[in-house]
Amino acid sequence: MLEIVILAAGKGTRMCSELPKVLHTLAGKPFLQHVLDRSDELASANTFVVVGHGAEMVRKNVRAKQLTFVEQLDQLGTGHAVKQALPHFSGESTVLILYGDVPLISTETLSALVDVVTEKALGLLTVNLQNPTGYGRIVRDSTGTVQAIVEQKDADKDELLISEVNTGVLAVKAKDLKVWLPALSDDNVQKEYLLTDIIAMANKEGKEIVTTQPSQTFEVLGVNNRIQQAELERVFQSAIAGRLMETGVTLLDPSRFDCRGEITAGKDCIIDVNCVFEGDVSLGDGVTIGPNCHIKDAKIGNNVEIKSHTVIESATLGNDVAVGPFARLRPQAVLGDKAKIGNFVEIKKSKIGVNSKVSHLSYVGDAKIGDNVNIGAGTITCNYDGVNKFPTTIADGVFVGSNTALVAPVSLGENVTVAAGSVVTVDVPDDALAVARSRQRNIDGWVRPSKDD
């Protein structure tokens, strides 16, 4: 049985923030949530998160299966932190120890580490760095056997030359932790109870320390400041961009692409620069997305063109649709095949039928619009009376002239024409012309008012 403990009690002083460090985000998701997602993928029986600074905030902002929070009231070192979860461990389990500020660790790396644990061996994740400054060094004897981990502050001149370092991630039998953690001492420069000291204890007892390494160094990099956060963000985004391009997506500049959720794409999609994707986004075949678009939780059909500076949230687009530039599709906007939404148009909680057009400077909310409808520039559905929302229904083949206000609740029948500048307040029957505006009056010889001298 696998149990996981994640250390997440630190304040993160170098982040210069009131937010607990593990709640700062990578790709729109808290660092800690990335680690918890790996925990779920490993199918652990129990996951324990050791919290301290901002504990209540951490509890409210992350989720996982079989999750238990354990509080560390005083931050006295990594060994002390794991000890807080010790009473919860099953005696026969393997315990995997992770860190809430190391967000890019992979499931494959962790699985390989857990697999080496036996009754006679524990697993230690190490990495070789060109610049190991700040990391605990892995000290081996002449046969290559791990003897101990020496922290930077405690290392001598020879030990500082070692390039193999401790990542802090290890897997060990719970029954061994129950012996070793209470025996830890704070007799070190940091005056802390260090988890790394159990390596020497294990070696003394004749346990084998089996080391594994991640496939990529960035997997074990922690975040201590905003610079490191930005660096890992680009690493993460580059990986997503690479996977998309491998499936046939064209990214005009992969360094200016951001995904903060999950994106799937069909064949021959093209994505221009500075586009941001959030939540679950699916693109059909032949989708073209212009620069500076923001798309969240959207399902987009085949051969759709989304022009620059368009915002789409929780919307569904059919095939052969055109949207933008500078358009906004709000939640529950549904566009039928061949629909066209033009510049400075906002659609909210409305269905736009097949081959219908809302091309310019319009707002459509709480509406159902049929097929082959043309909505003129400057048209709005007046759907809100300050308290309640009301529907507008427009049947097939309707033509709405420019600068029209449709005061809901109101219905327009099939093939209705609405004269430009109308304020429509009552239902219009099929095949009728609606003219709802005051008669124009011209006054000859009109003298404009002027200012007094």
Side-chain angles (χ1 to χ4, degrees):
M1 180 174 69
L2 177 65
E3 296 184 295
I4 294 176
V5 57
I6 303 172
L7 308 190
K11 181 177 181 180
T13 303
R14 283 178 282 173
M15 296 297 287
C16 301
S17 172
E18 294 301 317
L19 190 69
K21 180 167 70 169
V22 296
L23 292 184
H24 286 268
T25 60
L26 186 75
K29 185 191 298 183
F31 301 157
L32 177 57
Q33 188 62 57
H34 283 274
V35 185
L36 287 168
D37 290 346
R38 302 295 81 75
S39 173
D40 284 347
E41 290 170 359
L42 288 167
S44 63
N46 297 293
T47 298
F48 305 97
V49 174
V50 180
V51 293
H53 176 72
E56 191 58 34
M57 195 182 303
V58 173
R59 288 187 179 96
K60 291 180 179 178
N61 284 279
V62 296
R63 62 192 183 280
K65 300 172 185 175
Q66 304 298 322
L67 178 58
T68 301
F69 291 97
V70 180
E71 192 156 2
Q72 183 186 21
L73 297 177
D74 299 306
Q75 278 72 62
L76 302 178
T78 51
H80 179 261
V82 177
K83 188 178 178 182
Q84 309 313 299
L86 195 60
H88 300 279
F89 296 151
S90 168
E92 299 305 313
S93 68
T94 294
V95 177
L96 175 63
I97 299 170
L98 303 176
Y99 297 82
D101 61 353
V102 182
L104 295 187
I105 193 78
S106 72
T107 306
E108 293 74 18
T109 292
L110 296 177
S111 293
L113 179 66
V114 170
D115 286 346
V116 306
V117 178
T118 68
E119 294 297 323
K120 298 180 180 180
L122 60 85
L124 176 66
L125 190 66
T126 71
V127 67
N128 289 87
L129 299 177
Q130 289 184 344
N131 180 10
T133 302
Y135 288 85
R137 307 307 202 273
I138 304 299
V139 178
R140 298 177 182 266
D141 64 16
S142 58
T143 67
T145 301
V146 175
Q147 298 294 301
I149 299 174
V150 180
E151 296 299 322
Q152 169 94 18
K153 294 178 181 179
D154 299 312
D156 62 29
K157 183 170 64 174
D158 291 333
E159 290 167 341
L160 289 174
L161 297 176
I162 298 172
S163 63
E164 185 184 15
V165 302
N166 174 42
T167 67
V169 177
L170 59 88
V172 59
K173 288 295 183 181
K175 59 186 177 183
D176 290 329
L177 285 177
K178 289 178 182 290
V179 174
W180 296 333
L181 289 179
L184 288 176
S185 167
D186 65 351
D187 184 17
N188 50 59
V189 174
Q190 298 94 314
K191 296 310 239 180
E192 293 181 345
Y193 298 93
L194 301 175
L195 183 64
T196 51
D197 288 348
I198 72 170
I199 299 301
M201 293 179 182
N203 186 65
K204 186 176 181 180
E205 289 186 14
K207 300 276 188 180
E208 183 182 5
I209 294 93
V210 181
T211 60
T212 64
Q213 294 208 336
S215 57
Q216 300 287 343
T217 299
F218 65 73
E219 289 186 41
V220 295
L221 296 180
V223 179
N224 293 304
N225 55 48
R226 307 284 184 162
I227 296 171
Q228 293 172 344
Q229 180 182 13
E231 290 171 348
L232 285 193
E233 181 73 43
R234 291 332 308 163
V235 168
F236 187 88
Q237 295 300 337
S238 178
I240 298 175
R243 290 196 294 270
L244 281 175
M245 289 187 289
E246 286 173 353
T247 66
V249 175
T250 296
L251 299 179
L252 296 188
D253 186 348
S255 67
R256 289 187 283 171
F257 164 86
D258 283 271
C259 178
R260 301 166 189 168
E262 301 290 334
I263 179 172
T264 59
K267 299 176 181 177
D268 300 314
C269 294
I270 300 174
I271 300 174
D272 212 326
V273 301
N274 299 330
C275 290
V276 176
F277 299 86
E278 292 190 66
D280 293 321
V281 176
S282 66
L283 309 179
D285 296 334
V287 175
T288 301
I289 301 176
N292 305 302
C293 292
H294 184 186
I295 301 175
K296 179 179 181 180
D297 293 321
K299 183 177 181 180
I300 296 169
N302 300 325
N303 304 312
V304 171
E305 181 181 13
I306 300 171
K307 298 178 183 179
S308 68
H309 297 86
T310 292
V311 177
I312 298 174
E313 180 181 359
S314 300
T316 302
L317 284 63
N319 300 323
D320 304 295
V321 167
V323 181
F326 296 97
R328 184 185 182 193
L329 304 183
R330 291 170 57 190
Q332 298 184 53
V334 179
L335 309 187
D337 294 347
K338 300 182 180 180
K340 179 181 178 182
I341 304 300
N343 51 292
F344 302 104
V345 171
E346 180 178 350
I347 307 293
K348 170 255 177 185
K349 198 178 180 181
S350 296
K351 182 177 180 180
I352 311 298
V354 173
N355 201 39
S356 290
K357 300 176 177 64
V358 189
S359 297
H360 319 281
L361 303 157
S362 296
Y363 167 72
V364 176
D366 297 281
K368 182 178 180 181
I369 295 177
D371 300 339
N372 302 303
V373 172
N374 192 324
I375 304 293
T379 295
I380 62 170
T381 56
C382 306
N383 58 322
Y384 184 48
D385 66 359
V387 178
N388 299 303
K389 301 289 180 67
F390 297 93
T392 297
T393 303
I394 300 177
D396 297 344
V398 170
F399 179 92
V400 178
S402 299
N403 197 32
T404 291
L406 303 172
V407 182
V410 69
S411 296
L412 308 183
E414 292 187 3
N415 302 313
V416 160
T417 300
V418 179
S422 292
V423 178
V424 179
T425 59
V426 297
D427 293 349
V428 182
D430 295 350
D431 303 304
L433 168 65
V435 182
R437 60 192 184 206
S438 60
R439 184 179 296 276
Q440 180 175 326
R441 184 163 63 100
N442 297 332
I443 301 174
D444 294 333
W446 171 252
V447 178
R448 291 180 180 176
S450 59
K451 291 184 179 180
D452 296 333
D453 292 335

